[in-house]
Amino acid sequence: MSPNLQENMATPFDKHATNQVNGTTMTTAARSHDLARLQSHGSHANEAPIQPYISYIEVPDEVYDRLSPSKKVVIVSLLSFSSFLAPLSSTTILSAVPEVAATYNTTGSIINLSNALYLIFMGISPCIWGPLSQVYGRRWICIITATLFLCCSLGTALAPNLVAYFIFRILTALEGTAFLSVGASCIGDIYRPTERATAMGWFYLGTLVGPALGPFIGGVIVTFKPWRVIFYLQTALAGVAAVGAYFLLPETAYYKKSSDLVGLSLQTKVTVLWGMVNPWRVVQLYRYPNLIMVALASSSLVWNMYSLLTPIRYVLNPRFDLTTPIQSGLFYLAPGGGYILGTFFGGRYADYITIKWKAKRGGVRVPEDRLRSALPFMGIVTPACMLIYGWSIEARFGGIALPVIMMFCQGVAQLFCFPSLNTYCLDVMQAQAAEVVAGNYMVRYMFAALASATVLPAVEGIGVGWVSTITAAFLVVSSAATWAAILWGRSWREGIDRRRRAKRGNKLRRAENGKGVTASIEEKGKEKQTV
């Protein structure tokens, strides 16, 4: 095979599938032959599985017609419910922090640290489950993680001491986040790019309503029952998700990498499998600057959400002379209502912008065009709401109504941002969608953990007004980064792809030369033996 052959990672949809890259056709057999040749040179430790060198591909339309529209609605509904659980668990305990601290004879700051660790492991989790879902498919990963989430939730409810509480919280985060990253990949498997954001809007309703409704639910429970009932409820909901995944979720992945392992020796299979599921694959994707920009944008929105939600009981209760957890819990309904309203419009608007710019470009779809729909809401509306919210509380004007209205408006605005950003992660590298989404979640939940751990001390130190100002500035900077991705994202992707193809070509040439030298030495040895 010519050293400059450029490989497209579009997966074969049947045994006769071919890949077109800049006029070069490569059959599935050729791809298998290429892998075999790399292994014959002893390079499988570094080069297996074959890495993608065309980051943006189009998947044939027939892939999206495998399931009926009604079946797709069932899948999206199940995934939205399941994605509700892990974020819900991240905030239900906020209303019960004093009670949990009293149970374990510790402080609220220590319990908030457990919430920060929970969010950190929510960020680590997709790096494990995302690549695994590319190899073994989406269905069984969802079933297994839902079952483990159920067991760990029950363990948290029964935790006899603080150490056990911390351990089970961390394990719950590792399992529960799988639905967020793998669920998004399921959406990408079954919906066309021009339909995806609408479905993603409904899917992300669960991920955003969970953190908003969690403290309200926790506040109601802790007002009338022990805090452990929160986790008994979580266990029951996880059971519903596990049963629903088993009976209602089909395999949506149109190609599983596990088929590439057939016929390999055990040693080679282990090496290749590790290359497929190595979490470092997720981190390596950030060689693409456009993914960094979008991860920064997603992180600013999550930072905004957790910096808004985490200190409510400590900020609003004394500001408005509230005395019970259920009273402060009511404030969480405002952003939750905004998320629900935004679901009806945010995803559709992102799809509308995508279709509009595709028409402007003469039928050519550029993934970065989708990001345009998020800019005014991320760069103007949300920062303005955050500033008014923070300073109205700091300066004590506007009563209860003004911060509640601002929280509601923020909820609506975020649902105009998240579908655009998350669907971009599915569109821009469809052959690695699960890994791109996993990387995005990894970064955003690291920022969520940072917000959860630092916002309350910052509010106590500099005041809620200045904390809101810092958050607003972060959102504006992230909007500028998103605008840069819109302008230069395509050229960044193509430049990285060219360099990676050139690097692969050089490796193949060195391998060919090395093989030729070896053959020449062997031939000379045979001649000497003959003489």
Side-chain angles (χ1 to χ4, degrees):
M1 183 176 62
S2 172
N4 62 357
L5 182 61
Q6 300 166 349
E7 180 187 6
N8 186 350
M9 276 299 289
T11 53
F13 300 101
D14 57 58
K15 64 182 180 180
H16 303 295
T18 61
N19 297 321
Q20 293 284 347
V21 186
N22 295 340
T24 303
T25 302
M26 181 162 63
T27 63
T28 302
R31 294 178 69 244
S32 300
H33 178 61
D34 188 29
L35 177 59
R37 291 181 63 226
L38 286 170
Q39 291 167 348
S40 72
H41 290 306
S43 61
H44 56 262
N46 297 320
E47 298 299 332
I50 295 175
Q51 300 296 316
Y53 293 95
I54 298 295
S55 58
Y56 173 64
I57 61 171
E58 286 283 1
V59 175
D61 272 354
E62 56 266 24
V63 168
Y64 305 117
D65 296 327
R66 295 168 296 155
L67 299 174
S68 66
S70 59
K71 183 65 174 178
K72 292 180 182 180
V73 170
V74 171
I75 292 172
V76 172
S77 301
L78 172 65
L79 294 174
S80 183
F81 170 77
S82 301
S83 69
F84 169 78
L85 298 179
L88 175 76
S89 183
S90 71
T91 59
T92 43
I93 204 64
L94 292 180
S95 294
V97 165
E99 288 76 13
V100 179
T103 299
Y104 296 123
N105 296 316
T106 186
T107 65
S109 297
I110 296 298
I111 301 303
N112 279 331
L113 177 61
S114 76
N115 293 337
L117 287 172
Y118 183 93
L119 292 166
I120 288 173
F121 280 89
M122 281 185 74
I124 295 172
S125 170
C127 299
I128 300 170
W129 300 115
L132 278 172
S133 75
Q134 296 276 71
V135 178
Y136 295 109
R138 325 293 192 204
R139 171 177 157 79
W140 280 105
I141 296 297
C142 289
I143 293 171
I144 291 169
T145 53
T147 303
L148 292 174
F149 184 83
L150 182 155
C151 297
C152 294
S153 298
L154 183 59
T156 308
L158 299 174
N161 53 52
L162 188 61
V163 173
Y165 176 82
F166 267 65
I167 291 172
F168 280 114
R169 286 288 283 163
I170 288 170
L171 292 175
T172 303
L174 277 175
E175 315 306 335
T177 320
F179 267 107
L180 276 67
S181 58
V182 178
S185 301
C186 291
I187 302 293
D189 293 340
I190 62 178
Y191 282 99
R192 290 175 174 81
T194 52
E195 305 167 334
R196 233 172 243 165
T198 301
M200 288 289 281
W202 287 104
F203 170 67
Y204 277 100
L205 176 64
T207 69
L208 295 175
V209 168
L213 291 186
F216 172 71
I217 295 171
V220 172
I221 291 174
V222 82
T223 300
F224 301 104
K225 297 288 183 180
W227 64 265
R228 295 181 189 272
V229 174
I230 293 173
F231 294 101
Y232 288 127
L233 173 62
Q234 184 176 299
T235 302
L237 293 174
V240 174
V243 173
Y246 184 82
F247 288 104
L248 300 177
L249 182 65
E251 180 53 66
T252 63
Y254 45 80
Y255 179 72
K256 292 188 283 189
K257 289 183 180 180
S258 56
S259 62
D260 291 339
L261 302 174
V262 176
L264 300 180
S265 66
L266 178 61
Q267 181 180 357
T268 302
K269 186 178 293 186
V270 170
T271 303
V272 174
L273 179 61
W274 173 245
M276 291 177 173
V277 302
N278 187 349
W280 186 247
R281 288 171 59 86
V282 174
V283 179
Q284 284 181 318
L285 289 172
Y286 284 107
R287 73 185 74 195
Y288 290 91
N290 54 304
L291 297 184
I292 296 175
M293 302 298 106
V294 172
L296 184 65
S298 298
S299 299
S300 70
L301 291 166
V302 172
W303 171 281
N304 174 75
M305 180 168 64
Y306 279 90
S307 65
L308 180 74
L309 299 178
T310 299
I312 279 182
R313 184 169 177 181
Y314 293 90
V315 171
L316 296 184
N317 276 28
R319 166 68 177 84
F320 299 114
D321 299 320
L322 307 179
T323 57
T324 65
I326 194 172
Q327 288 176 322
S328 57
L330 290 170
F331 281 94
Y332 293 93
L333 296 180
Y339 296 144
I340 293 172
L341 180 63
T343 299
F344 290 95
F345 306 104
R348 286 184 173 85
Y349 181 66
D351 283 338
Y352 164 76
I353 292 296
T354 301
I355 295 169
K356 175 183 174 181
W357 277 88
K358 181 178 179 180
K360 281 187 176 182
R361 297 182 185 276
V364 176
R365 186 176 64 85
V366 176
E368 284 75 17
D369 285 336
R370 181 183 297 280
L371 299 174
R372 298 174 189 273
S373 64
L375 283 178
F377 301 95
M378 183 167 56
I380 299 173
V381 178
T382 307
C385 290
M386 196 64 185
L387 287 172
I388 296 171
Y389 165 82
W391 286 105
S392 70
I393 295 172
E394 183 79 23
R396 295 179 173 268
F397 67 86
I400 291 179
L402 186 57
V404 167
I405 291 171
M406 291 302 101
M407 293 166 77
F408 175 82
C409 291
Q410 282 191 70
V412 175
Q414 288 198 28
L415 253 297
F416 275 83
C417 300
F418 275 118
S420 174
L421 297 169
N422 293 322
T423 308
Y424 174 78
C425 293
L426 297 175
D427 290 352
V428 71
M429 293 184 181
Q430 296 195 66
Q432 292 179 281
E435 291 158 3
V436 176
V437 172
N440 191 275
Y441 272 108
M442 176 188 69
V443 175
R444 73 170 67 174
Y445 277 111
M446 293 303 171
F447 276 91
L450 185 62
S452 180
T454 62
V455 164
L456 184 55
V459 167
E460 293 171 346
I462 62 176
V464 66
W466 284 110
V467 170
S468 298
T469 302
I470 293 170
T471 300
F474 187 13
L475 288 162
V476 172
V477 170
S478 298
S479 300
T482 305
W483 179 242
I486 292 170
L487 294 179
W488 302 303
R490 186 177 185 179
S491 61
W492 288 339
R493 289 188 284 109
E494 293 171 351
I496 296 291
D497 289 343
R498 282 193 299 270
R499 288 194 290 273
R500 297 184 73 191
R501 288 196 298 269
K503 184 177 180 181
R504 168 55 62 87
N506 291 335
K507 285 184 178 180
L508 288 176
R509 279 192 292 272
R510 286 196 297 269
E512 290 285 356
N513 292 337
K515 188 176 181 181
V517 169
T518 302
S520 177
I521 292 172
E522 290 175 352
E523 186 64 31
K524 288 180 180 180
K526 289 178 181 179
E527 290 176 359
K528 288 181 180 180
Q529 290 174 1
T530 302
V531 173

